[in-house]
Amino acid sequence: MAGATLVCVPLVAKSVEQMVSEMATAKARGADVVEIRLDHLTNFEPSRDLVFLLRECLLPSLVTYRPRWEGGEYEGDDDKRFDALLLAMELGADFVDIELKVAQEFVNFLSGKRPTRTKLIVSSHNYQSTPSTEALSDLVARIQAVGADIVKIATTAVDIIDVLRMFKVMVHCQVPMIGLVMGERGLISRILCPKFGGYLTFAMLSTGKESAPGQPTLSDLLDVYNIRQITADTKVFGIVGKPVRHSKSPILHNTAFRSVGFDAVYLPLLVDDFCSFINAYSSPDFTGFSITMPHKEAALACSDEVDPIAKFIGAVNTLVKRPSDGKLIGYNTDYTGAISAIEDALQGVQVKVPASSPLANKIVVVLGAGGAGKALAYGAKEKGARVVIANRTYERARELANLVGGEAISLTDLENFHPEEGMILANTTSIGMDPNIHETPISNHALKSYSLVFDAIYDPLVTRLLREADELGLATVNGMEMFVRQAMGQFKLFTGLPAPEKLMRDTLLRAH
């Protein structure tokens, strides 16, 4: 694939034998290049070890001997380093990396001895921040001026908006450029390289083997984010939250996109200030977002238009840019996800809901008055249920109950609340979530007044609340059910296509 971004695995093993073993693994798993980090080797002996490493290397090789002053491990003088890098070139290394700070000295040292086969990467690393677009452009010019074949600039993301400056410089760069923004907030710079013309990106062989902060694993880059399929035309979606690291949404949506041939990638977006993020990523390339904690209210405020249901709930979990005018339209798929799951469980079978909902005239007790509680309360009211809100602080319960024309009780009153049998309980609080898996919001005794229990938590999949409900013979619905259904709603809004339900369920179960 001409012009495609190369995927490079850094080898940071302490012994040459381990490095050679990891070279073979990197090749088997689909890497294009390996970076041989000489500075990580203990007792490195150039004439012995370089010959062995480059002879055994079955992939194109990038040789780096990074000094401590540029974030590496080497603490000796530059003469030995330069000698080792020249030897690597003579032995046929495909690329050699030298730091900008000493690049002119290295080029002078090579004078006339430089083998033409090896491409010279001149690199600059900033572990504090990402400079302005102008400063980055100046840096590119300085690196080019010393005779680099390939420009490499790695900076650090203080905010996800910093990444846009790197993209801008990469797109306009006239020579091959590696432009990466380190740290979790910069992850998208490592995945979207093919979209913005990046020459190469790094991926660690497995967790713990990274050579810089924020590198994804090789399997995530190839199999979750499908980097081989990303082009300049690929649309970008993502989950916006803080934290987002452990979200299952990327694997879910990327698998679904791929299955229907939709040219898009879905990324985890660690965002500090929602409105500044949305304003910065205003390009039509960034097409839609899933919104999670703590940004659902801010997403509502930053939307150009809001679906009436999302407005009533007071929270947006899905934002889509309208193709005709680029306006941001806010939706909430949480409530449909939860309510449809409860309706199906009440009917006992996964079939379409008839004209009258099985929730009609039932008492639905909603625990919690936050975003998910609001969504559930609204959905239940829409289906004709009698809604009761139970919350730690009674005032918040009262507030939500007034909105949906329901009743309010405090969480402590829940134990003695049983106006009728066969009620429905919906927990939207975090009580029972990992790591507090032994907690439950309601006693076993009080559960007996209910016919169905729903828990929005999906880690663990079976909470203590659901386990005890099941032991009493009650119908149960877990948080995975709500999660997959709200994601299916988002998929339809993102693509205009029906969601591949079975695939999404299977993917989520495998990922869990």
Side-chain angles (χ1 to χ4, degrees):
M1 240 173 18
T5 298
L6 297 171
V7 175
C8 178
V9 168
L11 305 176
V12 291
K14 297 293 178 200
S15 73
V16 286
E17 294 76 18
Q18 184 63 32
M19 264 194 193
V20 167
S21 163
E22 289 178 3
M23 283 172 184
T25 308
K27 181 174 168 58
R29 291 190 191 166
D32 301 310
V33 182
V34 286
E35 182 186 27
I36 299 170
R37 286 292 300 262
L38 300 178
D39 51 301
H40 281 262
L41 289 168
T42 46
N43 306 317
F44 170 55
E45 174 48 59
S47 54
R48 177 195 65 201
D49 296 338
L50 266 173
V51 171
F52 178 65
L53 286 164
L54 290 168
R55 187 185 67 222
E56 297 297 318
C57 193
L58 301 171
L59 282 172
S61 56
L62 157 57
V63 177
T64 301
Y65 203 176
R66 187 82 67 224
R68 198 168 281 283
W69 49 259
E70 187 89 2
E73 300 288 316
Y74 178 70
E75 294 191 277
D77 62 38
D78 279 341
D79 293 346
K80 282 184 186 165
R81 217 159 60 87
F82 288 3
D83 285 337
L85 291 173
L86 173 58
L87 179 59
M89 292 169 119
E90 290 167 349
L91 291 168
D94 298 88
F95 307 93
V96 158
D97 178 309
I98 191 73
E99 304 75 26
L100 174 61
K101 196 170 168 185
V102 294
Q104 192 60 61
E105 287 169 56
F106 184 62
V107 168
N108 296 343
F109 162 80
L110 290 177
S111 63
K113 295 178 283 189
R114 178 177 168 183
T116 51
R117 182 184 183 281
T118 307
K119 286 192 162 58
L120 183 64
I121 298 173
V122 176
S123 61
S124 167
H125 299 77
N126 182 328
Y127 292 94
Q128 277 72 50
S129 62
T130 300
S132 67
T133 308
E134 295 71 29
L136 287 172
S137 298
D138 289 348
L139 199 50
V140 169
R142 282 171 54 210
I143 291 172
Q144 276 184 261
V146 294
D149 297 308
I150 299 158
V151 170
K152 179 189 173 190
I153 299 175
T155 62
T156 298
V158 177
D159 189 288
I160 196 166
I161 292 168
D162 298 345
V163 180
L164 285 173
R165 299 199 286 281
M166 187 66 81
F167 287 157
K168 193 173 179 183
V169 171
M170 273 168 66
V171 162
H172 293 111
C173 190
Q174 300 304 305
V175 295
M177 178 174 171
I178 302 164
L180 302 168
V181 186
M182 297 180 283
E184 194 186 346
R185 288 167 177 81
L187 174 67
I188 68 169
S189 72
R190 299 179 178 279
I191 299 165
L192 294 179
C193 292
K195 185 170 178 63
F196 297 100
Y199 183 79
L200 178 149
T201 189
F202 294 89
M204 58 181 158
L205 205 49
S206 55
T207 307
K209 293 184 185 291
E210 69 270 25
S211 61
Q215 284 172 1
T217 62
L218 180 62
S219 62
D220 279 356
L221 201 59
L222 297 178
D223 305 330
V224 176
Y225 301 115
N226 310 310
I227 193 170
R228 303 284 191 213
Q229 271 65 56
I230 297 174
T231 68
D233 298 325
T234 299
K235 291 182 166 72
V236 182
F237 295 84
I239 173 130
V240 178
K242 187 182 180 182
V244 285
R245 187 179 299 172
H246 301 299
S247 172
K248 302 284 191 288
S249 294
I251 194 164
L252 193 62
H253 283 285
N254 284 314
T255 305
F257 287 164
R258 187 165 46 180
S259 76
V260 299
F262 187 65
D263 185 11
V265 63
Y266 185 103
L267 307 171
L269 304 164
L270 177 59
V271 168
D272 298 286
D273 182 314
F274 183 81
C275 287
S276 63
F277 162 78
I278 282 294
N279 291 334
Y281 284 82
S282 56
S283 143
D285 285 344
F286 295 87
T287 314
F289 306 102
S290 308
I291 319 294
T292 188
M293 297 301 289
H295 298 310
K296 289 183 182 184
E297 284 76 20
L300 178 77
C302 296
S303 301
D304 295 312
E305 290 176 25
V306 183
D307 178 76
I309 295 162
K311 187 173 277 186
F312 181 88
I313 293 167
V316 158
N317 82 324
T318 314
L319 269 181
V320 181
K321 279 184 192 161
R322 192 160 52 202
S324 57
D325 57 7
K327 288 260 196 315
L328 281 167
I329 317 301
Y331 300 91
N332 190 306
T333 65
D334 283 334
Y335 89 101
T336 43
I339 295 299
S340 66
I342 292 169
E343 286 180 324
D344 284 352
L346 281 172
Q347 288 171 323
V349 282
Q350 300 276 330
V351 293
K352 283 199 167 63
V353 180
S356 169
S357 167
L359 281 167
N361 297 314
K362 283 253 195 305
I363 292 181
V364 175
V365 179
V366 178
L367 309 187
K374 280 181 182 172
L376 243 139
Y378 176 84
K381 170 188 177 270
E382 282 291 282
K383 298 293 184 177
R386 293 171 286 156
V387 179
V388 177
I389 311 295
N391 196 55
R392 272 206 185 99
T393 53
Y394 176 78
E395 290 71 25
R396 287 202 68 191
R398 181 72 267 155
E399 215 174 284
L400 179 52
N402 287 343
L403 270 177
V404 296
E407 195 182 326
I409 60 173
S410 75
L411 217 45
T412 48
D413 295 333
L414 197 58
E415 288 304 301
N416 304 310
F417 182 79
H418 40 82
E420 64 183 47
E421 298 303 306
M423 298 186 295
I424 291 151
L425 184 70
N427 177 41
T428 70
T429 73
S430 58
I431 299 169
M433 188 189 284
D434 187 59
N436 306 309
I437 57 169
H438 302 299
E439 293 180 1
T440 181
I442 186 171
S443 74
N444 212 330
H445 172 73
L447 268 178
K448 291 173 183 168
S449 301
Y450 298 87
S451 62
L452 180 142
V453 176
F454 164 83
D455 200 332
I457 292 167
Y458 65 91
D459 188 13
L461 206 48
V462 179
T463 57
R464 179 181 163 189
L465 172 65
L466 292 183
R467 189 176 68 249
E468 290 180 350
D470 189 54
E471 285 163 3
L472 289 169
L474 312 183
T476 59
V477 180
N478 63 38
M480 185 78 86
E481 202 47 54
M482 174 181 170
F483 183 73
V484 79
R485 289 176 187 232
Q486 64 80 28
M488 284 163 58
Q490 291 184 334
F491 180 91
K492 193 167 192 311
L493 289 168
F494 290 157
T495 64
L497 302 166
E501 180 172 353
K502 185 178 185 309
L503 176 80
M504 290 177 86
R505 286 181 186 283
D506 292 346
T507 302
L508 205 50
L509 282 170
R510 274 198 307 275
H512 204 75

